[in-house]
């Protein structure tokens, strides 16, 4: 069952054992009072409260009145990503500080090769950026930004290196966008390799056209951003990508669903049996598009991200309900942070505002506050949407995403009553802005343990720079478990009708 994972680097140092006592363990499918022993980065023993003696020399953590949950899994980050003529501020150091402070212990970042660039070269670059800096484990997806025989070959090489999820953009015309033909090739190639196709779904052609029209009408401020990226523009591309993936017979993961319109495309397709998964974001669940109307340009520009936030203030509640019902699956962040000075590149033209915002540190608290505190999610749902389902979809389960003997000691002692006010003044991100600024949330990590290292305790970050490891993943994971069925449906050779014998079979006689 641990076959999903390949650890490419081994630790040689012994870690201090940890004993977590008197907490309530929560997995996506169970909740029970227990003590948990951690030895050398793994969960070695779980027993009902009071039935286990701590191993000699253990660090004792008292989890009375707290939940002991699998460390959060972040499905979608862009750390130190070159984008829109600049580079996102959070690097693998500050990014994994922020996650640790917020109760996340594993993240999947996107390699983004430039169009024309070798995928393998870009992979080496991302590893060189990440390996020396990460405070907890990480994995990588790769973006497909162009197409050639070389890309096709290198996708197979990346799969061998444990990169088994590939994203293409249907937006960002003229830079990262692929054509529909290229999307088809990418889907077919992912299917052959057993890799998961991922899509940024917005209609890049229409956005490009509308941006020009809106600028020509004199709208230059951040409000132009949402006007050019309506929720229908997102829903259209979501629908299109799902149709393509389904006709090809390969699973699809739609990243950053921002509007209920797009989420409902995913839901409708699933009702028809399509193998499609949906991710929404902490920002979608925490704030809404009214930020774009803020009188303060920096606040409005700070929320410029793509797809745009929905103007419907009810969107965040409906998205949370879709998560609760299992209709969509994961909560990522799309953390791609820019300082206010960087955002001001677009002071006279909204199309030049670098797209992206934060989420790594606040994701878990925002979901707890707006989901569990409001009674929409149960604590088990919380674990499912912030950790377990991501681990399953991206094939690191149950080594991650579960409190179980033998699993990695990626554990959060979660304080459900702890309140704090989110602010750029106190966050651990590199940039000077926070899209959740001033939001008072209840629920926070009391202690964060990443592969057996305590990285957050007593409201203090404890650095373990370079001690996180790259986790290579195997292809043909959970999303492919129904692939035999999908394959039968798409085996066109079985669909040939033999007309040589009899023109009219009884079943198909025309009356
Ligand atoms: O605005 C965003 N989302 N920036 C990061 C790049 C992307 O589209 O995911
Ligand atoms: Zn995107
Ligand atoms: Zn549709
Ligand atoms: Zn993204």
């Amino acid at each position: 069952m641990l076959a999903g994972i390949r650890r490419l680097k081994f630790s040689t140092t012994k870690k201090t054992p940890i004993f977590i006592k008197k907490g309530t363990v929560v997995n996506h499918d169970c909740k029970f009072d227990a003590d948990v022993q951690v030895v050398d980065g793994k969960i070695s023993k779980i027993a009902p409260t009071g039935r286990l003696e701590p191993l000699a020399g253990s660090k004792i953590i008292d989890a009375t009145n707290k939940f002991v949950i699998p460390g959060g899994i972040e499905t979608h980050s862009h750390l130190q990503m070159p984008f829109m003529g600049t580079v996102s501020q959070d690097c693998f150091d500050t990014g994994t500080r922020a996650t640790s402070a917020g109760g996340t212990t594993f993240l999947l970042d996107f390699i983004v090769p430039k169009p024309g660039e070798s995928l393998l070269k870009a992979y080496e670059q991302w590893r060189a950026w990440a390996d020396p800096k990460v405070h907890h484990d990480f994995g990588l997806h790769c973006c497909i930004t162009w197409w050639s025989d070389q890309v096709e070959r290198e996708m197979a090489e990346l799969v061998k290196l444990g990169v088994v999820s590939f994203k293409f953009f249907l937006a960002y015309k003229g830079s990262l966008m692929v054509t529909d033909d290229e999307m088809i090739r990418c889907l077919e190639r992912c299917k052959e390799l057993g890799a998961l196709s991922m899509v940024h779904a917005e209609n890049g052609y229409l956005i490009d056209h509308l941006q020009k029209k809106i600028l020509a009408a004199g709208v230059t401020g951040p409000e132009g951003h949402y006007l050019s990226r309506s929720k229908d523009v997102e829903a259209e591309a979501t629908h299109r990508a799902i149709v393509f993936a389904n006709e090809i017979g390969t699973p699809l993961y739609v990243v950053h669903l921002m509007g209920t319109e797009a989420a409902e495309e995913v839901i409708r397709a699933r009702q028809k049996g399509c193998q499609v998964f949906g991710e929404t974001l902490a920002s979608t669940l925490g704030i809404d598009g009214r930020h774009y109307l803020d009188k303060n340009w920096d606040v409005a520009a700070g929320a410029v991200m793509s797809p745009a936030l929905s103007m419907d203030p009810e969107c965040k509640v409906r998205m949370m309900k879709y998560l609760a019902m299992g209709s969509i699956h994961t909560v990522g962040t799309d953390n791609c942070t820019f300082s206010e000075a960087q955002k001001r590149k677009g002071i006279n033209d909204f199309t030049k505002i670098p797209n992206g915002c934060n989420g790594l540190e606040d994701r878990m608290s925002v979901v707890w506050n707006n989901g569990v505190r409001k009674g929409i999610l149960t604590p088990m749902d919380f674990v499912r949407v912030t950790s377990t389902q991501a681990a399953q979809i991206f094939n690191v389960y149950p080594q991650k995403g579960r409190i179980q003997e033998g699993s990695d000691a990626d554990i959060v002692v979660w304080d459900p009553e702890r309140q704090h006010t989110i602010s750029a003044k106190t966050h651990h991100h590199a940039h000077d802005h926070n899209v959740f600024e001033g939001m008072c949330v209840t629920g926070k990590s009391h202690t964060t343990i990443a592969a057996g290292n305590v990285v957050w305790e007593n409201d203090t970050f404890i650095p373990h720079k370079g001690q996180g490891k790259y986790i290579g993943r195997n292809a043909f994971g959970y999303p492919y478990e129904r692939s035999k069925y999908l394959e039968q449906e798409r085996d066109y050779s079985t669909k040939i009708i033999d007309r040589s014998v009899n023109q009219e079979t009884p079943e198909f006689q025309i009356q």
Side-chain angles (χ1 to χ4, degrees):
M1 280 301 283
L2 298 181
I5 300 205
R6 285 175 284 149
R7 254 178 199 272
L8 298 185
K9 226 167 85 183
F10 292 92
S11 148
T12 45
T13 48
K14 282 260 181 255
K15 297 173 183 175
T16 307
I18 299 170
F19 188 77
I20 307 166
K21 64 174 190 184
K22 298 185 181 170
T24 301
V25 170
V26 187
N27 280 316
H28 74 288
D29 57 356
C30 56
K31 188 163 155 246
F32 51 94
D33 294 338
D35 296 334
V36 178
Q37 178 75 59
V38 168
V39 177
D40 208 22
K42 298 275 176 192
I43 297 171
S44 64
K45 197 88 192 138
I46 303 174
T49 311
R51 301 256 183 92
L52 198 60
E53 277 299 308
L55 278 183
S58 291
K59 174 185 170 61
I60 310 286
I61 297 172
D62 187 351
T64 305
N65 296 327
K66 296 182 183 66
F67 293 115
V68 178
I69 60 175
I73 295 182
E74 155 62 342
T75 49
H76 187 157
S77 71
H78 300 286
L79 299 176
Q80 56 191 96
M81 175 197 180
F83 186 47
M84 294 184 73
T86 183
V87 178
S88 64
Q89 290 259 296
D90 276 318
C91 64
F92 284 87
D93 174 8
T94 58
T96 56
R97 281 172 188 257
T99 44
S100 302
T104 290
T105 53
F106 182 65
L107 66 76
L108 287 151
D109 198 79
F110 285 92
I111 304 165
V112 191
K114 295 182 197 75
E117 191 190 4
S118 153
L119 276 53
L120 289 172
K121 200 171 141 237
Y123 164 83
E124 295 297 341
Q125 177 65 79
W126 253 258
R127 289 291 305 272
W129 282 335
D131 286 17
K133 290 190 189 165
V134 281
H135 298 273
H136 59 67
D137 292 352
F138 73 104
L140 293 167
H141 315 287
C142 183
C143 296
I144 300 300
T145 58
W146 64 296
W147 196 261
S148 70
D149 290 348
Q150 181 189 346
V151 170
E152 198 164 335
R153 269 196 318 276
E154 291 191 341
M155 283 174 78
E157 294 303 313
L158 283 186
V159 166
K160 288 186 205 148
L161 293 166
V163 180
V164 296
S165 34
F166 295 95
K167 177 172 79 171
F168 46 85
F169 296 88
L170 300 181
Y172 305 125
K173 183 167 175 246
S175 58
L176 303 174
M177 187 177 93
V178 297
T179 63
D180 285 359
D181 275 336
E182 288 167 335
M183 164 161 65
I184 291 173
R185 286 166 178 227
C186 186
L187 290 164
E188 287 285 11
R189 186 63 170 150
C190 282
K191 180 180 174 180
E192 276 168 13
L193 296 171
L196 182 59
S197 297
M198 307 169 79
V199 63
H200 171 134
E202 288 183 293
N203 190 315
Y205 297 98
L206 196 49
I207 290 166
D208 182 61
H209 175 72
L210 294 175
Q211 283 179 333
K212 288 177 183 137
K213 235 171 126 169
I214 290 163
L215 281 171
V219 181
T220 56
E223 61 277 20
H225 182 71
Y226 87 83
L227 292 170
S228 64
R229 310 182 97 102
S230 81
K231 294 298 98 194
D232 289 339
V233 169
E234 182 190 359
E236 181 278 329
T238 305
H239 180 91
R240 181 160 34 108
I242 293 171
V243 170
F244 279 43
N246 192 50
E247 290 298 327
I248 285 163
T250 197
L252 180 71
Y253 180 93
V254 186
V255 301
H256 53 39
L257 293 163
M258 303 293 280
T260 50
E261 295 83 347
E264 283 153 16
E265 292 293 346
V266 169
I267 294 166
R268 264 194 295 282
R270 288 177 61 79
Q271 283 167 348
K272 290 194 275 185
C274 300
Q275 189 73 331
V276 54
F277 303 95
E279 168 197 273
T280 191
L281 302 182
S283 49
T284 314
L285 300 168
I287 58 170
D288 58 60
R290 287 173 297 174
H291 274 60
Y292 301 128
L293 309 179
D294 202 286
K295 292 269 162 49
N296 181 336
W297 192 92
D298 293 320
V299 172
V304 166
M305 59 181 308
S306 295
L309 289 157
S310 172
M311 294 308 277
D312 177 3
E314 283 304 302
C315 175
K316 55 175 104 53
V317 180
R318 286 172 61 190
M319 287 297 216
M320 195 69 84
K321 288 181 182 169
Y322 292 154
L323 286 163
M325 296 305 122
S327 307
I328 60 173
H329 303 86
T330 54
V331 183
T333 69
D334 201 2
N335 196 95
C336 188
T337 50
F338 299 102
S339 66
E340 292 181 353
Q342 283 174 301
K343 290 268 182 181
R344 281 182 207 149
K345 265 185 62 175
I347 193 88
N348 296 317
D349 177 349
F350 68 88
T351 66
K352 298 200 164 60
I353 301 170
N355 286 200
C357 69
N358 59 289
L360 290 178
E361 182 159 346
D362 305 315
R363 179 180 73 109
M364 303 281 278
S365 290
V366 165
V367 178
W368 186 272
N369 190 75
N370 285 2
V372 184
R373 289 285 292 184
K374 299 214 164 112
I376 303 173
L377 300 180
T378 66
M380 290 196 291
D381 292 333
F382 175 74
V383 167
R384 172 169 56 81
V385 304
T386 58
S387 181
T388 309
Q389 213 136 232
Q392 290 169 337
I393 292 170
F394 294 107
N395 212 17
V396 292
Y397 185 79
Q399 189 157 350
K400 299 195 178 288
R402 190 166 186 85
I403 303 293
Q404 176 175 292
E405 290 174 10
S407 293
D408 282 356
D410 284 2
I411 305 171
V412 171
V413 178
W414 185 259
D415 185 344
E417 299 301 333
R418 176 67 200 274
Q419 283 191 352
H420 76 287
T421 301
I422 299 174
S423 176
K425 292 194 182 73
T426 48
H427 70 197
H428 294 76
H429 291 276
H431 71 313
D432 54 0
H433 191 90
N434 192 311
V435 281
F436 306 109
E437 187 70 37
M439 189 174 165
C440 180
V441 285
T442 301
K444 189 171 179 20
S445 171
H446 173 269
T447 308
T448 307
I449 303 166
N453 296 318
V454 176
V455 289
W456 174 258
E457 192 180 36
N458 298 327
D459 288 328
T460 307
F461 173 69
I462 304 156
H464 285 77
K465 201 170 176 181
Q467 291 189 45
K469 293 182 183 60
Y470 169 69
I471 301 290
R473 299 168 291 128
N474 285 333
F476 290 105
Y478 161 79
Y480 275 86
E481 284 182 7
R482 285 172 68 232
S483 59
K484 269 214 182 79
Y485 167 74
L486 293 175
E487 201 44 54
Q488 277 161 17
E489 280 203 322
R490 300 292 166 216
D491 181 358
Y492 297 113
S493 65
T494 64
K495 316 275 183 201
I496 299 165
I497 295 170
D498 182 2
R499 294 188 176 82
S500 63
V501 189
N502 186 353
Q503 298 273 336
E504 288 186 0
T505 57
E507 302 97 287
F508 292 103
Q509 244 164 17
I510 298 162
Q511 301 296 314

